Amino acid sequence: MSEAKAKAYKASETIILNEPILSVAAGGKQIDRVTLRRPKAKLLEEVESIEGDYATMARLIAKTSDPKLTPSEIGELDGNDFKRMSTMIR
């Protein structure tokens, strides 16, 4: 990989939420940003099969998010925030 490409690659990305959510798993703490790491190769099959599949994308977000988001927390995300997370993972 060239030096320019290596600098452009990001192993993770922090997304600031348009609409913060409350995390039951974190004792009611408000979450206003989520960091997603790029999926490992073993998850690429799931990434390839996503095309419009909410459940698969929610599972991938849960596996790659920090703080870890639960399925119910992912369901409470603003639609645009979910879309931005989905785009980052793809």
Side-chain angles (χ1 to χ4, degrees), residues 60-73:
L60 285 168
I61 290 171
K63 289 178 181 179
T64 60
S65 63
D66 181 29
K68 291 287 183 199
L69 297 177
T70 65
S72 63
E73 291 167 347

Side-chain angles (χ1 to χ4, degrees), residues 37 39-47 60 63:
R37 62 178 168 72
K40 300 287 185 190
K42 62 186 175 186
L43 293 178
L44 290 181
E45 185 177 338
E46 285 186 63
V47 171
L60 285 168
K63 289 178 181 179

Side-chain angles (χ1 to χ4, degrees), residues 12-32:
S12 65
E13 185 173 331
T14 299
I15 295 175
I16 298 171
L17 302 179
N18 290 327
E19 298 288 330
I21 60 173
L22 292 180
S23 171
V24 175
K29 177 183 171 190
Q30 183 170 309
I31 297 174
D32 63 354

